């Protein structure tokens, strides 16, 4: 329509068309068209090439898996061999830690154990032992001699300014054992004689940290568990028996009255009538503690036959005999 319609003249004015409308419209099936990338034509990869490429990739993947499996099998075999070696070593250690024959001496056990003892190769263990002025150091000297059989040990003795009496004759004897070259030592033992409220020795394991172990029997426990494992027992029952004897020594001999000591001497004599040593048929830390306590309380002369026989048996051990000779102690 070109302008308003009037019945007289047809149109008021006439204008030209701006565009032509086609008579037929084509319906659209998509918004825009793209080339099919999967279409195989002259420029595309042939089906044969595609198959060959896929086959090559599969073969490469299979060979890679085979190589990985071979590596895993080889690693598994190495692990099995290592486990067998560890099992053999454990069996060997188990045999070594089994019960020691009674014919084996303490010295032989200590020397065998020294081959496995490598804890102290680099740093020396520094210990300080504070003892009363009238203390008899026979037990410490036995331990010192036992340690000397397997390790380099220095022993020095000092008197504190608080000591006024002349009851420190043992100090002069210990001075003969003093070693000055501390650089080559595995263990440094320093004994300080001091007038104090303490009646028992006090072991300071780490002087810098002031870690204190009170009592002679506990001092023996420390040295035996740390350095003299041949004087201990792996069996739980025997280890408990050792602890029982150590407790009896501390309570009834070191701190008991005459009546309690006499009772223990009777019990000890009865026990030694059946066995050669206190526990397990061999020399142990219990024997060291008992012998030291009897000498310190001068109870050997009051003991009966079996106890005296046991003392003679202990004197056959070189470390014990050397300690008693150095202190000029009479066991009769």
């Amino acid at each position: 329509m070109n302008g308003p319609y009037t019945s007289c003249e047809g149109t008021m004015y006439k204008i030209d068309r701006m565009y032509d409308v086609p008579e037929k419209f084509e319906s659209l099936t998509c918004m825009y068209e793209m080339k099919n990338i999967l279409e195989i034509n002259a420029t595309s990869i042939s089906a044969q090439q595609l198959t060959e490429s896929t086959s090559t990739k599969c073969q490469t993947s299979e060979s890679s898996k085979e190589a990985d499996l071979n590596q895993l099998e080889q690693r598994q075999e190495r692990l099995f061999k290592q486990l067998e070696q560890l099992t053999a070593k454990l069996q060997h250690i188990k045999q070594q830690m089994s019960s020691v024959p009674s014919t084996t001496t303490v010295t032989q056990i200590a020397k065998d154990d020294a081959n496995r003892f490598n804890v102290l190769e680099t740093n020396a263990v520094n210990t300080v032992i504070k003892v009363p002025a009238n203390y008899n150091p026979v037990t410490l000297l036995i331990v010192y001699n036992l340690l000397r059989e397997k390790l380099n040990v220095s022993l020095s003795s000092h008197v504190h300014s608080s000591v006024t009496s002349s009851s420190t004759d043992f100090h002069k004897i210990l001075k003969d054992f003093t070693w000055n070259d501390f650089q080559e030592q595995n263990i440094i033992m320093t004994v300080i004689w001091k007038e104090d409220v303490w009646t028992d020795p006090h072991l300071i394991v780490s002087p810098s940290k002031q870690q204190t172990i009170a009592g002679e029997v506990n001092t023996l426990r420390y040295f035996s568990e740390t350095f003299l494992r041949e004087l201990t027992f792996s069996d739980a029952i025997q280890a408990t028996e050792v602890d029982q004897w150590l407790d009896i020594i501390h309570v009834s001999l070191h701190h008991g009255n005459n009546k309690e000591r006499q009772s223990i001497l009777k019990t000890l004599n009865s026990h030694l009538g059946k066995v050669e040593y206190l526990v397990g048929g061999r020399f142990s830390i219990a024997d060291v503690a008992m012998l030291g306590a009897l000498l310190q309380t001068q109870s050997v002369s009051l003991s009966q036959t079996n106890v005296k026989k046991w003392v003679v048996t202990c004197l056959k051990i070189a470390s014990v005999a050397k300690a008693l000779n150095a202190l000029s102690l009479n066991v009769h």
Side-chain angles (χ1 to χ4, degrees):
M1 182 186 306
N2 292 319
Y5 172 76
T6 58
S7 58
C8 297
E9 299 180 358
T11 58
M12 181 181 296
Y13 49 84
K14 187 177 181 180
I15 59 174
D16 296 331
R17 288 178 179 272
M18 296 179 63
Y19 56 87
D20 294 328
V21 178
E23 294 180 0
K24 291 183 179 181
F25 289 95
E26 292 183 3
S27 61
L28 299 176
T29 57
C30 63
M31 185 177 295
Y32 48 85
E33 187 177 359
M34 295 181 64
K35 187 176 180 180
N36 188 357
I37 60 174
L38 299 178
E39 184 180 2
I40 300 176
N41 49 33
T43 60
S44 303
I45 301 175
S46 65
Q48 184 178 359
Q49 290 175 337
L50 185 62
T51 304
E52 290 177 355
S53 174
T54 305
S55 176
T56 304
K57 287 181 179 179
C58 290
Q59 291 176 358
T60 305
S61 177
E62 289 177 1
S63 62
S64 176
K65 288 180 179 179
E66 259 184 57
D68 292 341
L69 287 173
N70 289 334
Q71 289 180 358
L72 285 174
E73 288 178 358
Q74 292 174 0
R75 183 180 178 186
Q76 189 178 27
E77 289 178 359
R78 289 197 301 268
L79 289 174
F80 282 143
K81 288 181 180 179
Q82 290 177 356
L83 285 173
E84 290 176 358
Q85 293 174 356
L86 287 173
T87 303
K89 287 182 180 179
L90 286 173
Q91 290 294 336
H92 180 66
I93 293 173
K94 185 177 179 180
Q95 292 175 359
Q96 286 183 337
M97 294 182 65
S98 60
S99 58
V100 183
S102 58
T103 55
T104 306
T105 64
V106 173
T107 304
Q108 290 171 339
I109 301 170
K111 288 182 178 178
D112 293 338
D113 188 59
N115 296 327
R116 304 190 302 269
F117 196 90
N118 55 5
V119 179
L120 303 173
E121 288 183 350
T122 54
N123 298 322
V125 175
N126 194 357
T127 61
V128 176
I129 307 170
K130 295 181 179 180
V131 299
N134 59 350
Y135 175 72
N136 183 339
V138 58
T139 307
L140 292 181
L141 203 52
I142 293 174
V143 171
Y144 168 75
N145 290 332
L146 290 170
L147 290 171
R148 284 287 307 278
E149 292 179 355
K150 58 191 291 187
L151 298 167
N152 294 327
V153 187
S154 70
L155 175 63
S156 60
S157 178
H158 307 277
V159 178
H160 194 265
S161 58
S162 61
V163 177
T164 56
S165 63
S166 59
S167 58
T168 55
D169 294 335
F170 290 126
H171 157 68
K172 300 175 184 178
I173 297 174
L174 291 187
K175 288 189 71 173
D176 296 336
F177 295 87
T178 301
W179 286 15
N180 295 322
D181 190 4
F182 295 130
Q183 294 181 353
E184 298 180 359
Q185 305 312 312
N186 301 126
I187 306 173
I188 300 172
M189 298 174 63
T190 304
V191 180
I192 300 177
W193 309 80
K194 187 177 181 181
E195 289 284 1
D196 211 327
V197 292
W198 294 339
T199 57
D200 289 319
H202 278 58
L203 170 66
I204 301 176
V205 179
S206 176
S208 60
K209 297 180 180 179
Q210 293 293 309
Q211 296 175 339
T212 303
I213 298 174
E216 184 176 84
V217 295
N218 291 326
T219 299
L220 290 176
R221 282 188 175 104
Y222 168 78
F223 280 111
S224 62
E225 291 293 335
T226 310
F227 310 112
L228 298 171
R229 298 288 294 178
E230 67 274 8
L231 299 182
T232 62
F233 294 93
S234 58
D235 181 75
I237 296 176
Q238 293 175 332
T240 303
E241 289 179 3
V242 170
D243 283 333
Q244 184 178 4
W245 279 113
L246 293 178
D247 291 340
I248 291 173
I249 292 167
H250 179 75
V251 175
S252 300
L253 289 179
H254 287 161
H255 298 281
N257 53 37
N258 290 331
K259 186 177 180 180
E260 291 173 331
R261 289 175 184 171
Q262 289 298 326
S263 175
I264 292 302
L265 288 177
K266 289 181 181 179
T267 303
L268 180 62
N269 186 72
S270 176
H271 178 72
L272 290 174
K274 307 171 187 176
V275 295
E276 186 178 11
Y277 293 102
L278 290 181
V279 180
R282 63 178 175 88
F283 188 74
S284 69
I285 201 66
D287 297 284
V288 176
M290 180 63 74
L291 181 60
L294 293 179
L295 291 170
Q296 289 165 347
T297 57
Q298 299 178 352
S299 301
V300 176
S301 58
L302 303 176
S303 303
Q304 299 178 18
T305 305
N306 293 330
V307 177
K308 292 181 178 179
K309 183 180 177 181
W310 164 78
V311 171
V312 173
T313 303
C314 292
L315 284 174
K316 295 179 182 178
I317 298 171
S319 297
V320 176
K322 187 177 179 181
L324 269 63
N325 290 335
L327 300 173
S328 301
L329 296 176
N330 188 6
V331 297
H332 302 292

